[in-house]
């Protein structure tokens, strides 16, 4: 059995980075154009434009910079922050894939239960790792 899941990062309870948006940003980086990137992903130009606007509006730092047309035409580039987001998302995607693979291995599809819950824990921080009761403060 394989367990699958999409990775979505939210800001202010709004979807910020989704896998499709990351694919769009990667295509924008490669092509230098929203319209070309939209064709590659694939999605409509309008959907691509709206996705980029949503990301830029939710972010405190611009992700994508657009230059309007001129003699050589316009263009679209990622900001350093946008490029960093792609790298960070890829790291998170790899961690998610590893976690889901482990979860698949410890799930018994025949009984519908986890073989062991101990292996399931995913350490995010050092906080709350030791359980106990405070008996005395000096």
């Amino acid at each position: 059995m394989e367990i699958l899941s999409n990775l979505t990062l939210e800001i202010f309870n709004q979807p910020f980075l989704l896998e499709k948006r990351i694919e769009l940003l990667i295509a924008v980086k490669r092509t230098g154009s929203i319209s070309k990137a939209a064709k590659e992903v694939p999605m409509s130009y309008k959907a691509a434009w709206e996705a980029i606007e949503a990301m830029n509006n939710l972010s405190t730092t611009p992700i994508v910079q657009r230059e309007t047309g001129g003699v050589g035409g316009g263009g679209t580039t990622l900001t350093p922050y946008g490029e960093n987001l792609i790298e960070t998302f890829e790291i998170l995607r790899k961690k998610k894939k590893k976690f889901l693979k482990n979860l698949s291995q410890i799930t018994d599809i025949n009984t519908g239960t986890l073989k062991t819950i101990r292996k399931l824990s995913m350490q995010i921080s050092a906080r709350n790792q030791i359980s106990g009761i405070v008996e005395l403060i000096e």
Side-chain angles (χ1 to χ4, degrees):
M1 178 178 85
E2 185 177 6
I3 299 173
L4 302 174
S5 173
N6 289 326
L7 180 60
T8 301
L9 303 180
E10 293 184 350
I11 294 180
F12 308 117
N13 293 324
Q14 297 289 321
F16 174 56
L17 292 179
L18 300 95
E19 298 199 26
K20 191 82 164 184
R21 287 183 179 178
I22 289 295
E23 290 174 24
L24 177 64
L25 292 178
I26 292 168
V28 164
K29 181 179 177 181
R30 185 174 42 255
T31 64
S33 162
I34 295 174
S35 62
K36 289 177 185 174
K39 288 176 186 174
E40 278 190 18
V41 171
M43 64 173 51
S44 71
Y45 175 78
K46 183 177 188 271
W49 179 269
E50 288 173 351
I52 289 171
E53 283 295 306
M55 288 185 286
N56 272 343
N57 288 337
L58 286 169
S59 175
T60 56
T61 305
I63 298 168
V64 175
Q65 292 178 326
R66 293 177 300 264
E67 296 177 19
T68 55
V71 174
T76 305
T77 57
L78 296 184
T79 64
Y81 177 68
E83 291 189 22
N84 189 47
L85 282 177
I86 291 172
E87 291 174 21
T88 302
F89 196 87
E90 289 301 326
I91 292 168
L92 291 173
R93 192 179 345 213
K94 286 177 186 173
K95 294 287 185 184
K96 177 202 73 157
K97 185 177 180 179
K98 182 178 177 183
F99 174 74
L100 292 177
K101 181 181 177 187
N102 290 339
L103 186 59
S104 293
Q105 291 173 347
I106 65 170
T107 302
D108 185 355
I109 192 65
N110 296 324
T111 62
T113 59
L114 292 173
K115 294 177 185 173
T116 174
I117 197 71
R118 187 172 51 85
K119 292 182 182 176
L120 179 61
S121 67
M122 196 172 148
Q123 186 174 345
I124 303 295
S125 72
R127 292 178 52 212
N128 302 324
Q129 296 298 314
I130 301 173
S131 62
I133 298 172
V134 175
E135 293 181 2
L136 177 67
I137 299 177
E138 292 184 22

